[in-house]
Amino acid sequence: MAGYDIITLEENCTGCLRCQLACSYLYTGLFNPSAARIQVRFSGTGCAIDFTDECNHCGVCADSCFYDALKKVKREDDE
Amino acid sequence: MQGGFAGRILHVDLSRRKVGTWPLASNLAESFIGGLGLSFRLAHDYITPGTDPLAPENPVVIGAGPLVGTDLPSTSRIYAVTKLPTSGTIGWCGAGGVTFGCLFKNAGYDHLIIEGRADRPVYLNIVDDRVEILDAQKLWGKGVSETCETLWDEVSGPAGVLAIGPAGENRVSFSLAYIDRSATMGRGGFGAVLGAKNLKAIMVRGTKGVGVADRKTYKRLKTDFLQTIQSYPYLKEWQDMGMLKAFPMVPPETYKKIKKRRLACISCPVGCKDVVEIADGPHKGLVAYSSSAINLLTPLMYGFKDYRDAVKLIAELDEYGMDMFEFFGVAALAAKLGEHGSIQGINIALDDLNAMMEWAEKISFRKGLGDVMADGFSGMINAYGDAAKTYAPALVKNMHPYTGPGSALPWDLFGTMELGQILDLRGPHVGSGGSPTYFAKRPLEVFPKHLKRMGVPEAAISRILPESDESKQLNVGILLKYSHQWFSILGSLGVCARGQINRFYNAGLCADFYKAVTGIPTDLDELSLRADRVWNLYKLLNVREGVDRSRESIPDQWVQAPGFKEYVSETPISRDEILRMIKDYYREQGWDFETGYPSPETLSRLGLESLG
Ligand code: SF4
Ligand code: SF4
Ligand code: SF4
């Protein structure tokens, strides 16, 4: 299955949650940030972006990010 | 309901400590679009005419429109409708909802109606169907950030928080509410309305999801739309600089020194909010969250010399939860009364950090003269009579407009925002309604493009831009009518009205998005009609309160040198010209200029007879 590694650049993240909206809509049919396989968390001025075990590396979250906080890199074993 | 709407209204009675929900009637949703419009409609049922804004009987209706929670760009907006203490009128309060609106919809609600007054400080904790009224004793007296952080620390996962600071608790007439500590809501004393209810905060979490009725059309429309935004040549600049792009109050290097992170409301590709950290000097390490860095720098306009002191003061005002324009305006008035001997023994240095910090505290906690200043300009005029009237700046509905003579922003052309200060029933605010006259002076040639985008009919465009032999003209009164219509569309859908994002939207596309998301058949004409209905109901709500044309008086300072200037010719504007604009506005709305009421024909066209 095609797949990407998602590189996170947390310093660019604005917390817009477009990634969580996109992931949840794709896999649950509803916009539901809590159901996304990517979770963005802010603490103080910092930000942490994590993926759940269910993430299948489809890259849709990265496509929906406007701020260059997520970059997708094609996995080598897909060649 | 098929999509967009959660389909439920949450009702909280703080006096009886009762919580209930009921279904949102689909015919109401259709008639009033949602969000702002539906909030007016619910307010019509819940507000008893003549209610004191700070009495338990004054309800607060909060709404998130049908697009809120989707991934359409900047559909984050939330609105509250209530009777506001400063103007005494029924007004709307709006905020880029950060995460609040989306999570509220995900909890399964479109609207929240709050009534009564808790017998001690409380906060609302909403987690899907579980709604609790919890003790807020530990939060009372805390600043806005501290309140948000305390609540966030108690839960895992994202939570939207609407909170007030000590200024709201102590019913300061220019206190605000804040969303997720960075968005401000409700100039005119919304903070005080919540404070009078003993309601410190609302925290919301939700996991139900927001659906779309017609997924195929939604995808097609959205893909094209996102591409338009992606290819906008200034997008990167907006993302990097935020509002400083439009108002370069400090050099970019200075901003870069303090810029920590840019923040965006949910779904927003522009992201105008800021986290800054002072890098050096006595306030080194101070972190401030703001609706925009330009807010943090506003004290520079009042004479502050050091931008770091400016940030320090505004961060403090945001903790107290009060409006900076009104704070500076009232402080400037007190300073003048001190100079001229009406107030003995005070010294208010508007350009001094320590002095202003002290006054911020005195006002928030109503200490000494701060108790009078906390009641705003009307409090000062009550206390000091004619002397206060003499030295007060231009006032509209007891508030200090952002622009114009003696205001913070050095903008003196008279466009829709300026006329709107008088004609929006809530009083002065910064909403533009998406009109092209907002701040930057644009050539009239570009107006037709913007007007079409806002859904202005062709026939009205020629009335807004009449051709005469000598010169091109602009009819600001008629333009304002359509700005209010455009604002009603955006507000009712839940799209952010800020210029940097609404520039991408157009009214036809809004109708298409609304139809795709909700499944309610809608075209441009229908959406425009419903938006007119929304703004007319807003008028009716206030007519019912006895708010008449006497509340639309034109401040003398506006028409005396240095005064406002006509938008096109840039010649000084006269009272008669402004009066003509008001008449043009009334005529275009179908309102009677003499009585101030919407005409029977207008009410019947909009199907509002039974609410008039
Ligand atoms: S879409 Fe990008 S900027 Fe927005 S929250 Fe996700 S990672 Fe952050
Ligand atoms: S890569 Fe795909 S599955 Fe994983 S978080 Fe992103 S959108 Fe979701
Ligand atoms: S433009 Fe600013 S206020 Fe509007 S949605 Fe985006 S971040 Fe929020």
Side-chain angles (χ1 to χ4, degrees):
Chain A
M1 189 188 131
Y4 299 90
D5 283 324
I6 315 286
I7 314 283
T8 60
L9 296 159
E10 285 152 348
E11 65 279 16
N12 290 342
C13 178
T14 61
C16 74
L17 304 192
R18 292 194 62 82
C19 51
Q20 289 185 216
L21 291 168
C23 180
S24 60
Y25 188 63
L26 182 62
Y27 294 106
T28 71
L30 296 171
F31 292 107
N32 179 357
S34 70
R37 300 161 183 192
I38 175 171
Q39 292 290 325
V40 178
R41 296 257 184 285
F42 279 85
S43 152
T45 60
C47 155
I49 303 175
D50 293 303
F51 296 85
T52 70
D53 295 342
E54 286 79 45
C55 169
N56 65 11
H57 303 274
C58 70
V60 164
C61 51
D63 294 340
S64 60
C65 180
F66 270 76
Y67 297 95
D68 298 325
L70 302 173
K71 293 241 181 265
K72 56 181 195 186
V73 179
K74 193 131 183 84
R75 285 181 156 183
E76 299 227 340
D77 54 341
D78 280 339
E79 293 299 316
Chain B
M1 306 185 99
Q2 299 178 51
F5 292 100
R8 289 196 304 173
I9 296 169
L10 175 61
H11 182 269
V12 174
D13 183 334
L14 293 171
S15 301
R16 295 184 183 79
R17 293 196 173 246
K18 274 204 163 140
V19 172
T21 57
W22 62 84
L24 172 64
S26 56
N27 62 328
L28 275 196
E30 183 169 340
S31 299
F32 294 91
I33 309 173
L36 175 69
L38 257 176
S39 297
F40 284 141
R41 180 63 189 82
L42 294 170
H44 192 275
D45 286 348
Y46 280 87
I47 297 179
T48 307
T51 301
D52 174 349
L54 299 181
E57 293 74 31
N58 183 26
V60 172
V61 179
I62 294 176
L67 303 191
V68 176
T70 70
D71 70 344
L72 293 174
S74 312
T75 49
S76 59
R77 202 79 181 157
I78 65 161
Y79 284 93
V81 173
T82 191
K83 197 163 180 186
L84 290 166
T86 308
S87 58
T89 58
I90 292 171
W92 58 269
C93 311
V98 199
T99 63
F100 190 93
C102 174
L103 296 176
F104 181 67
K105 292 283 292 287
N106 265 276
Y109 311 102
D110 301 293
H111 292 272
L112 165 61
I113 300 166
I114 306 166
E115 291 194 284
R117 171 187 292 156
D119 56 3
R120 57 183 177 275
V122 295
Y123 74 98
L124 272 184
N125 183 36
I126 304 171
V127 193
D128 290 325
D129 294 344
R130 196 176 94 223
V131 180
E132 301 164 317
I133 302 171
L134 299 176
D135 185 82
Q137 208 65 56
K138 63 174 192 282
L139 300 171
W140 207 250
K142 282 196 177 174
V144 169
S145 287
E146 214 184 336
T147 301
C148 292
E149 277 156 23
T150 308
L151 291 174
W152 283 328
D153 282 348
E154 283 175 8
V155 299
S156 65
V161 176
L162 183 157
I164 59 168
E169 294 169 12
N170 297 317
R171 306 180 185 190
V172 173
S173 83
F174 42 97
S175 53
L176 305 163
Y178 286 67
I179 315 280
D180 292 355
R181 80 181 152 197
S182 57
T184 54
M185 184 168 184
R187 201 166 188 243
F190 184 46
V193 173
L194 298 176
K197 298 196 167 312
N198 270 326
L199 182 60
K200 177 70 177 173
I202 304 170
M203 175 157 72
V204 62
R205 287 168 287 162
T207 59
K208 288 179 194 273
V210 173
V212 167
D214 176 355
R215 295 170 62 94
K216 224 170 115 192
T217 308
Y218 181 84
K219 187 173 174 191
R220 177 173 54 76
L221 294 169
K222 187 186 77 179
T223 309
D224 290 350
F225 190 50
L226 290 179
Q227 249 152 29
T228 312
I229 299 178
Q230 246 348 330
S231 56
Y232 179 57
Y234 302 110
L235 180 66
K236 192 92 200 99
E237 221 178 302
W238 272 109
Q239 291 177 335
D240 283 347
M241 297 300 292
M243 299 289 276
L244 280 166
K245 175 170 158 33
F247 302 97
M249 289 166 74
V250 290
E253 311 78 66
T254 308
Y255 175 54
K256 282 188 189 123
K257 234 163 111 181
I258 57 171
K259 174 178 168 183
K260 195 76 192 161
R261 185 182 290 283
R262 302 207 38 90
L263 292 177
C265 295
I266 198 154
S267 78
C268 179
V270 181
C272 67
K273 311 219 173 287
D274 271 285
V275 186
V276 306
E277 184 173 344
I278 301 293
D280 47 22
H283 319 304
K284 184 169 187 256
L286 170 79
V287 174
Y289 299 81
S290 179
S291 188
S292 162
I294 63 167
N295 288 1
L296 294 170
L297 298 166
T298 299
L300 297 174
M301 313 293 277
Y302 290 97
F304 271 50
K305 301 282 176 302
D306 187 329
Y307 74 92
R308 294 164 299 189
D309 285 350
V311 173
K312 171 76 182 164
L313 176 65
I314 299 296
E316 198 74 6
L317 294 183
D318 283 341
E319 279 306 306
Y320 290 131
M322 64 177 146
D323 179 50
M324 57 183 178
F325 290 108
E326 217 68 357
F327 168 73
F328 269 106
V330 169
L333 173 57
K336 283 218 181 93
L337 291 170
E339 270 165 43
H340 291 90
S342 301
I343 305 178
Q344 302 293 326
I346 62 146
N347 179 20
I348 301 185
L350 293 179
D351 57 357
D352 180 69
L353 173 65
N354 289 331
M356 294 313 275
M357 294 270 282
E358 198 185 314
W359 283 106
E361 202 227 336
K362 282 184 180 160
I363 291 172
S364 295
F365 291 97
R366 291 185 169 271
K367 293 180 187 162
L369 178 62
D371 188 26
V372 180
M373 292 162 76
D375 289 330
F377 289 107
S378 41
M380 295 292 280
I381 288 169
N382 281 343
Y384 299 103
D386 285 344
K389 277 190 200 154
T390 309
Y391 300 117
L395 295 179
V396 174
K397 298 193 180 73
N398 302 324
M399 275 180 281
H400 184 32
Y402 288 89
T403 63
S407 300
L409 303 180
W411 171 257
D412 59 1
L413 296 185
F414 200 84
T416 50
M417 187 171 83
E418 292 64 37
L419 184 62
Q421 312 280 332
I422 308 180
L423 289 175
D424 190 328
L425 292 134
R426 68 176 285 194
H429 65 89
V430 81
S432 66
S435 147
T437 64
Y438 190 45
F439 287 125
K441 182 169 179 181
R442 294 188 176 78
L444 292 185
E445 287 72 40
V446 306
F447 274 58
K449 178 181 84 183
H450 284 291
L451 300 183
K452 279 186 198 132
R453 188 171 68 73
M454 292 159 64
V456 183
E458 287 292 342
I461 293 181
S462 53
R463 287 199 295 280
I464 292 168
L465 298 165
E467 296 272 355
S468 78
D469 294 343
E470 309 90 68
S471 62
K472 288 201 159 77
Q473 293 175 23
L474 176 70
N475 187 312
V476 174
I478 301 181
L479 176 55
L480 182 63
K481 187 267 170 187
Y482 292 98
S483 299
H484 284 159
Q485 181 179 305
W486 178 225
F487 177 74
S488 300
I489 292 175
L490 296 171
S492 301
L493 295 179
V495 177
C496 177
R498 287 200 172 176
Q500 61 265 37
I501 188 69
N502 101 52
R503 62 178 309 122
F504 298 113
Y505 279 89
N506 67 65
L509 186 66
C510 285
D512 292 344
F513 277 141
Y514 183 75
K515 184 173 165 205
V517 171
T518 64
I520 298 172
T522 304
D523 62 18
L524 173 58
D525 288 345
E526 282 156 339
L527 189 64
S528 304
L529 182 81
R530 292 173 206 163
D532 262 356
R533 185 179 292 135
V534 165
W535 202 260
N536 272 267
L537 180 58
Y538 179 28
K539 177 74 170 172
L540 287 179
L541 275 166
N542 280 289
V543 164
R544 194 173 68 168
E545 295 289 334
V547 177
D548 57 21
R549 286 219 49 259
S550 68
R551 301 302 308 278
E552 292 166 357
S553 58
I554 301 160
D556 292 339
Q557 295 93 328
W558 284 14
V559 290
Q560 294 162 356
F564 269 117
K565 300 193 172 67
E566 201 274 324
Y567 187 85
V568 182
S569 65
E570 299 194 26
T571 52
I573 205 159
S574 68
R575 184 177 293 277
D576 282 350
E577 281 170 287
I578 300 180
L579 208 58
R580 197 165 59 234
M581 291 179 192
I582 298 177
K583 280 187 183 155
D584 288 338
Y585 175 86
Y586 265 73
R587 193 175 315 112
E588 197 70 18
Q589 286 285 17
W591 298 352
D592 184 326
F593 181 76
E594 299 308 322
T595 63
Y597 296 173
S599 70
E601 300 76 48
T602 302
L603 294 184
S604 121
R605 178 176 76 86
L606 299 171
L608 284 173
E609 300 98 323
S610 62
L611 302 177

